[in-house]
Amino acid sequence: MIFKSVGDSRPYPEHGYVTPKDWSSVAPMQVRLDELVTTKSTLDLAALLAEDSTFFGDLFPHVVQWKGTRYLEDGLHRAVRTALHQRSILHARVLVLED
């Protein structure tokens, strides 16, 4: 199993981080793929295979930690690409929300 679970929604409260500039204040850290719950159940194959997939966005996936669970909010294609390279850890920006 690559991820802890595959979800299809964002069960945590709205946090107000929308743009890459908003997220830039959150320092990247190492995250294990098997600790993540996805917030999307489908993946755009074109995004996975694109060489410039991070050209206009953040280099790091966005993770929201809420109630002890880490949710992969943005960057599913980066996480899957990490798994395809047989790596279990990726660098992501982890926003911790209070319970």
Side-chain angles (χ1 to χ4, degrees), residues 10-68:
R10 298 178 179 178
Y12 46 85
E14 182 62 41
H15 48 68
Y17 287 67
V18 179
T19 67
K21 184 177 180 180
D22 296 333
W23 279 93
S24 68
S25 65
V26 180
M29 61 182 288
Q30 290 185 344
V31 178
R32 291 183 51 87
L33 293 177
D34 61 4
E35 295 176 346
L36 296 174
V37 175
T38 69
T39 59
K40 298 176 185 171
S41 62
T42 58
L43 174 67
D44 179 6
L45 189 57
L48 177 67
L49 300 176
E51 291 183 23
D52 63 346
S53 64
T54 58
F55 186 76
F56 295 105
D58 196 341
L59 291 174
F60 302 101
H62 300 162
V63 173
V64 176
Q65 182 173 316
W66 183 60
K67 293 188 176 182

